[in-house]
Amino acid sequence: MKLLITGGCGFIGANFIRYLLNKYADYQIVNLDKLTYAGNLENLAGLEEESGGRYTFVRGDIRDATLIAELLGREIDVVVNFAAESHVDRSIEDASVFVRTNVEGTQVLLEAARKSGVGLYVQISTDEVYGSLGPSGAFSEKTPLDPRSPYSASKAAADLLVQAYAHTYGLPILITRCSNNYGPFQFPEKLIPLMLTNALEGLPLPVYGDGLNVRDWIYVGDHCRGVDLIIHHGKKGEVYNLGGASELTNLDLVGALLRELAIQKGHQPGYYDGLIKFVTDRLGHDRRYAMDFTKIQTELGWTPGYTLAQGMKETVAWYLQNEAWWRRIKTGEYLDYYQRMYAGR
Ligand code: NAD
Ligand code: TDX
């Protein structure tokens, strides 16, 4: 099988490419990535050689119709679109690039996929398109879309375009909607790597609002395994939810993470707790996400394999072993953004 994977230099895309190359000895992968602030070539360093030429990197924008047409001319069987602007706080600062990449970029990919007659187009979407929950219940694939941030609105718009291309042109598609991922190679603007790396640097740990917003956490390897199953066995035209069955308030999550970090560093469990700082809430902050993933469980036999405790243990160990990786990121452009984001908080 030959796949075009977009956004492969980001967090989940890089994990997915590594997963596929390890699992399938004959698969070929073309990774198209623009290398925005979130794209990091280091995440896939050495793979071109290690894979014996089965992996190729192309730098480019998913909005570049000429380039996409040329890439799809390379006998691609499946397109998997991970490329996106992915951080909610950035979308609140400036939504325009979110519309350009997440909406226009998806449309360019869909149009090229339709013209080339590709076998399958897979859109990597998110639980955030469903909106926010009260204290009970969970999102199913039938929950109406109700996005509430510029980021989630752009992802929902993309999902609707994907479904429109399936309905109008018969394009073979699949959409995956997953909850909050964590694990190796996650950019340190997202909650878990931000807390880990700030704690190691002795910096404040900014918890938004009252810290009681709830997220469902899934280890990135479980997400990759689910996307792989969906590509091979999913029913074309369908949406599949994936979740980690690990719902926690942000405060509880940060507490557990700091305890694990303290243990691995040989400190007392409460060593880092004093760094927690409550800061002004995110605008429009969604209160609670929870996923009903019965469909993929019953149809494809998928369940998350990692408990949060196991996943956190491995993630903390990874960030400790890969200090040079995250320290290089926490300089330059990222720092400018970081200072702007937390100024006055
Ligand atoms: P990320 O921000 O770490 O990576 C995004 C990648 O896309 C980067 O490598 C970036 O360079 C690339 N990119 C951005 N704009 C591009 C463009 N115009 N053309 C080509 N490449 C471009 O994101 P992530 O956390 O790995 O998320 C990947 C996908 O999964 C996104 O679509 C996101 O919406 C979705 N998702 C993420 C999560 C999560 O918890 N991180 C959960 C559910 C769904
Ligand atoms: O500094 C922080 N302090 C804080 O309290 C940050 C960065 C976040 N938070 C809170 C906001 C959220 O309630 O932690 C929670 C998680 O925040 P993020 O890591 O920014 O993730 P979230 O907004 O939930 O979105 C993530 O999951 C769904 C990904 O970034 C999206 O790409 C994905 O679609």
Side-chain angles (χ1 to χ4, degrees):
M1 187 182 277
K2 193 164 181 183
L3 300 100
L4 173 64
I5 295 181
T6 67
C9 294
F11 162 48
I12 307 174
N15 278 284
F16 187 63
I17 288 174
R18 288 171 174 275
Y19 176 93
L20 283 186
L21 289 173
N22 275 334
K23 180 164 177 190
Y24 302 102
D26 57 339
Y27 279 21
Q28 292 180 44
I29 293 172
V30 178
N31 170 19
L32 171 69
D33 198 298
K34 188 179 176 182
L35 297 181
T36 67
Y37 79 94
N40 188 347
L41 275 179
E42 248 189 86
N43 297 354
L44 295 168
L47 269 199
E48 258 145 356
E49 275 172 29
E50 270 171 49
S51 68
R54 292 188 296 126
Y55 166 73
T56 316
F57 172 67
V58 177
R59 183 172 191 184
D61 194 319
I62 56 168
R63 289 170 71 229
D64 183 343
T66 310
L67 174 62
I68 306 296
E70 189 269 304
L71 294 177
L72 287 181
R74 299 185 191 179
E75 295 176 342
I76 298 290
D77 303 300
V78 180
V79 176
V80 189
N81 182 27
F82 286 94
E85 287 294 332
S86 69
H87 195 42
V88 174
D89 291 319
R90 286 181 187 260
S91 82
I92 295 167
E93 272 209 318
D94 178 10
S96 58
V97 71
F98 285 74
V99 173
R100 285 200 295 277
T101 287
N102 301 0
V103 186
E104 287 177 28
T106 298
Q107 190 273 330
V108 169
L109 285 174
L110 288 166
E111 189 60 23
R114 163 173 103 83
K115 286 185 179 145
S116 74
V118 77
L120 178 62
Y121 176 94
V122 182
Q123 178 73 3
I124 305 299
S125 185
T126 166
D127 60 355
E128 300 198 15
V129 297
Y130 295 123
S132 182
L133 290 163
S136 62
F139 301 129
S140 84
E141 291 83 354
K142 292 197 171 71
T143 303
L145 302 190
D146 183 23
R148 291 147 44 100
S149 73
Y151 163 70
S152 55
S154 70
K155 292 295 287 186
D159 285 12
L160 293 177
L161 279 167
V162 174
Q163 287 174 324
Y165 268 72
H167 181 78
T168 309
Y169 307 110
L171 184 72
I173 63 102
L174 281 162
I175 297 175
T176 71
R177 295 192 182 131
C178 189
S179 58
N180 285 56
N181 284 226
Y182 67 98
F185 299 111
Q186 187 166 30
F187 193 86
E189 67 186 348
K190 304 294 194 309
L191 183 68
I192 287 185
L194 178 80
M195 292 293 160
L196 282 178
T197 59
N198 275 18
L200 289 168
E201 292 186 293
L203 296 172
L205 308 175
V207 171
Y208 296 165
D210 60 9
L212 299 182
N213 299 66
V214 173
R215 295 292 182 267
D216 169 45
W217 296 95
I218 180 171
Y219 189 69
V220 64
D222 280 333
H223 185 190
C224 292
R225 189 166 47 79
V227 173
D228 176 26
L229 259 182
I230 289 166
I231 289 174
H232 290 92
H233 304 290
K235 202 167 140 211
K236 302 251 169 81
E238 297 282 314
V239 176
Y240 289 93
N241 281 356
L242 298 105
S246 297
E247 274 182 57
L248 237 63
T249 65
N250 291 336
L251 257 191
D252 285 346
L253 176 90
V254 170
L257 191 67
L258 296 180
R259 268 194 301 284
E260 181 58 37
L261 181 63
I263 289 166
Q264 293 198 23
K265 290 287 286 178
H267 299 307
Q268 292 299 316
Y271 183 81
Y272 296 106
D273 292 359
L275 291 172
I276 291 178
K277 185 182 172 207
F278 288 93
V279 299
T280 314
D281 209 353
R282 173 185 280 174
L283 291 178
H285 197 174
D286 285 342
R287 193 62 171 171
R288 177 172 164 263
Y289 304 144
M291 287 305 247
D292 174 350
F293 52 86
T294 314
K295 180 173 171 178
I296 186 171
Q297 226 167 354
T298 50
E299 284 186 20
L300 306 182
W302 178 92
T303 47
Y306 274 76
T307 62
L308 188 61
Q310 285 167 327
M312 266 196 315
K313 200 174 259 184
E314 288 189 23
T315 303
V316 167
W318 191 87
Y319 278 85
L320 287 176
Q321 280 155 21
N322 291 275
E323 193 167 328
W325 178 88
W326 59 261
R327 282 199 187 274
R328 272 195 287 277
I329 291 174
K330 287 184 102 169
T331 57
E333 196 273 334
Y334 179 76
L335 264 191
D336 297 340
Y337 159 77
Y338 185 83
Q339 276 157 7
R340 222 172 38 251
M341 204 59 236
Y342 296 105
R345 276 182 155 173

